[in-house]
Amino acid sequence: MLFNFFKKKEKAEPQKLFYSTDIHSHVLPGIDDGSPNTDVSIALLDAMKSWGITAIIATPHIAEENFENTPQSIKNAYDKLSTRMLDTGTEMEVKFSAEHRIDDRFRKMIEDDNLLVMPNNYLLIENSFVQPPIDLKNIIYELQLKDIKPILAHPERYGYYQRKKEVYDELFNAGCEFQINLLSLAGYYGDREKETALWLANRGYVSFVGTDLHHFGHVEVINRFLRSKEYPSIAERLAPAIKNNELL
Ligand SMILES: [Fe+2]
């Protein structure tokens, strides 16, 4: 009897993620607000592997105000991590791209054809959290003229869109695809972000899900989410809709 009591209190086994290719993370060492060094990067990759992820496209920030990265600085960080992965025998398919903040530098990168596109010509873009870009629809159009398919990172996190959901319709109808964060579904950022992520999913607007993994705090939240009661139903709802595994 006592044994059964304790057995019931045991936590459920963590589920695996409902996709195996992650397209948004900050695991490259030392170039943004993600992993500070290769030791942490390897530990973050190990966590991802435990969730069933076998391939990632790492996406360091490129943003003129905070992270002055270039395709070359990102390649250098990728090379450092690749060497360390070989040394430690870490198995994971890793490619690199970037999370491009929409700012003047980004507009210049479009002009110069200097963007870090993903496989299948996708490009991960993010808005400022303070205010929306006034020309987002033009930017989407300009990218499309170059045969680039924009993916807006975590649309559920922009407060100014949460309060004005018709913008999601407009952007989606303009051909912008949406990537929501696993952490939003886990409730990490707050109720609004979670509700908005589920609203986008119910509307059929979610093409990709990403970890947006930066640090061990995020790992803990995702570990808990994968053990939660609500996880299986959320996974079942999203899995058929997303295209993560088409990229790698
Ligand atoms: Fe990110």
Side-chain angles (χ1 to χ4, degrees):
M1 193 65 185
L2 196 61
F3 175 74
N4 279 342
F5 173 77
F6 281 114
K7 201 167 181 192
K8 268 188 196 152
K9 296 276 279 188
E10 258 176 31
K11 280 189 178 166
E13 273 298 301
Q15 305 279 310
K16 294 290 182 196
L17 268 183
F18 50 92
Y19 61 86
S20 57
T21 297
D22 193 63
I23 66 152
H24 185 167
S25 68
H26 301 268
V27 299
L28 294 191
I31 50 168
D32 65 2
D33 55 348
S35 169
N37 57 53
T38 53
D39 285 342
V40 172
S41 299
I42 296 292
L44 293 175
L45 290 182
D46 284 342
M48 291 172 117
K49 281 168 68 175
S50 75
W51 304 330
I53 291 174
T54 56
I56 69 161
I57 302 169
T59 51
H61 291 283
I62 298 182
E64 64 188 350
E65 278 174 22
N66 324 82
F67 308 107
E68 295 264 329
N69 279 315
T70 61
Q72 189 59 50
S73 70
I74 293 173
K75 164 88 168 57
N76 293 346
Y78 167 82
D79 288 343
K80 256 188 220 166
L81 178 60
S82 299
T83 305
R84 188 89 173 106
M85 285 175 72
L86 275 178
D87 291 348
T88 53
T90 306
E91 284 180 16
M92 171 84 82
E93 185 176 0
V94 180
K95 303 265 188 231
F96 65 91
S97 178
E99 180 175 16
H100 297 79
R101 172 78 52 86
I102 298 171
D103 53 24
D104 288 342
R105 186 146 176 256
F106 176 65
R107 293 178 183 90
K108 179 86 171 66
M109 287 174 83
I110 298 177
E111 256 177 59
D112 296 347
D113 279 324
N114 194 25
L115 300 163
L116 269 175
V117 291
M118 292 184 172
N120 297 358
N121 266 7
Y122 282 108
L123 188 81
L124 191 66
I125 57 174
E126 72 163 343
N127 286 3
S128 150
F129 286 102
V130 183
Q131 56 188 15
I134 46 165
D135 56 346
L136 184 50
K137 277 203 268 177
N138 283 344
I139 284 176
I140 291 167
Y141 182 65
E142 268 182 62
L143 292 170
Q144 288 166 336
L145 286 180
K146 292 175 183 279
D147 274 332
I148 293 172
K149 296 178 272 189
I151 304 172
L152 183 62
H154 38 62
E156 75 280 7
R157 294 191 61 200
Y158 306 121
Y160 45 77
Y161 287 168
Q162 292 166 355
R163 296 184 291 272
K164 226 180 143 198
K165 290 205 170 54
E166 63 274 17
V167 178
Y168 295 126
D169 298 318
E170 286 170 27
L171 295 176
F172 184 80
N173 291 332
C176 185
E177 302 203 34
F178 294 139
Q179 174 262 304
I180 61 170
N181 278 7
L182 201 57
L183 291 160
S184 299
L185 296 169
Y188 173 73
Y189 308 103
D191 291 342
R192 278 226 181 204
E193 285 74 5
K194 180 172 180 169
E195 280 162 24
T196 308
L198 292 172
W199 183 90
L200 288 163
N202 287 337
R203 216 155 166 92
Y205 284 177
V206 177
S207 303
F208 299 96
V209 176
T211 60
D212 202 357
L213 194 64
H214 285 69
H215 50 69
F216 296 126
H218 288 164
V219 170
E220 273 177 41
V221 173
I222 293 173
N223 279 337
R224 271 203 303 277
F225 182 50
L226 293 179
R227 286 176 186 271
S228 69
K229 275 196 194 131
E230 64 178 345
Y231 173 72
S233 61
I234 290 177
E236 201 179 320
R237 196 183 320 169
L238 276 162
I242 61 165
K243 302 191 283 190
N244 283 55
N245 292 358
E246 291 175 17
L247 265 62
L248 283 184

